[in-house]
């Protein structure tokens, strides 16, 4: 079984600043994948970044990076140079080695970017 | 390159009715997963289809059923609708590479179902 915990219900950041969204996980699978998705008010779930449990380096995708600390079971998302369009709900999710599409999501963090 | 497309975008039904939601996967993807997202919650996994068969199922009753067609598109059927079935239904597609943990799922915009 997998579990994701996102302890920040809401976060605020000033435009052009960096922000870190927290995510901790728990799993009994030796191999797993960690995901971050963005969900604007329109409802679409947008894939941001992926980290495999055996990846040696932290994943990066443009302004998004994933701070993966395996021993602490954390997978924090860092957004650099925040933009107004980054205001949305952000979900952390985990996929186990035999999950076959069964992503387990956290409760989400609402990010608000102020001008 | 079209992403994951879902139809319809919105749907209103009454209790006891049946509904069918449709999903076309991203080009090159062969696997479709369905999720239910209640207001203010994270999505909950319903099931996944691969090679036209249900491969994995979440904790949903048999009223929820699905189908995958040879072109990889999929349908989600819900029978005997309840008020509690009101939610955003998301479809996600992926390309099966033989191992689950690196299965990158891409989502559509969802179908908002309201049951009155």
């Amino acid at each position: 079984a997998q579990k994701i915990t996102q302890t920040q219900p809401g976060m605020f950041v000033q435009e052009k600043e960096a922000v870190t969204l927290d995510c901790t996980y728990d799993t009994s699978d030796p191999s797993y994948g960690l995901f971050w998705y963005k969900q604007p008010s329109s409802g679409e779930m947008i894939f941001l970044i992926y980290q495999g449990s055996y990846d040696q380096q932290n994943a990066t995708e443009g302004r998004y990076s994933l701070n993966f600390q395996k021993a602490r079971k954390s997978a924090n998302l860092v957004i650099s140079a925040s933009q107004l369009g980054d205001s949305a709900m952000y979900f952390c999710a985990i996929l186990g080695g035999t999950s076959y599409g069964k992503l387990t999501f956290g409760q989400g963090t609402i990010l608000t970017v102020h001008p | 390159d079209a992403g994951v497309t879902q139809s319809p975008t919105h749907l209103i039904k009454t209790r006891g009715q049946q509904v069918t939601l449709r999903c076309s996967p991203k080009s090159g993807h062969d696997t479709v997963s369905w999720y239910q997202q209640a207001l203010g919650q994270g999505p909950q996994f319903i099931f996944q289809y691969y090679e036209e068969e249900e491969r994995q199922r979440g904790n949903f009753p048999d009223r929820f059923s699905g189908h995958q067609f040879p072109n990889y598109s999929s349908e989600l059927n819900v029978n005997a609708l309840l008020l509690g079935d009101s939610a955003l239904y998301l479809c996600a597609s992926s390309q099966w590479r033989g191992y689950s943990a690196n299965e990158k799922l891409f989502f559509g915009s969802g179908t908002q179902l309201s049951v009155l």
Side-chain angles (χ1 to χ4, degrees), chain A residues 30-35 37 39 42-47 50-54 61 89 91 95-107, chain B residues 4 31 33 35 37 40-45 47-48 55-59 88 90 92 94 96 99-110:
Chain A
S31 297
Y32 49 89
L34 293 157
F35 299 77
Y37 288 90
Q39 189 173 42
S42 60
E44 182 181 5
M45 193 73 74
I46 302 168
F47 169 83
Y50 164 85
Q51 178 84 43
S53 59
Y54 288 114
E61 292 279 354
M89 177 72 89
F91 288 100
L95 188 63
T98 56
S99 294
Y100 298 116
K102 186 180 179 181
L103 281 164
T104 298
F105 287 82
Q107 288 297 98
Chain B
V4 180
T31 306
S33 305
Y35 287 78
Q37 187 178 19
Q41 304 287 323
Q44 297 292 316
F45 175 78
F47 43 54
Q48 183 185 72
R55 177 161 68 174
Q56 175 83 285
R57 188 177 183 93
N59 189 25
L88 178 67
L90 293 162
S94 54
W96 179 247
Y99 188 64
S100 185
N102 62 0
E103 188 182 359
K104 294 181 183 178
L105 283 81
F106 292 84
F107 286 80
S109 299

Side-chain angles (χ1 to χ4, degrees), chain B residues 6-21:
Chain B
Q6 292 187 242
S7 62
T9 54
H10 295 84
L11 206 51
I12 299 174
K13 292 286 188 179
T14 56
R15 279 183 299 174
Q17 285 189 313
Q18 178 263 342
V19 68
T20 297
L21 310 181

Side-chain angles (χ1 to χ4, degrees), chain B residues 63-85:
Chain B
R63 299 187 297 109
F64 290 78
S65 63
H67 188 79
Q68 186 180 34
F69 299 93
N71 67 351
Y72 308 121
S73 67
S74 176
E75 289 182 349
L76 165 64
N77 300 293
V78 187
N79 295 322
L81 284 167
L82 304 174
L83 296 180
D85 295 332

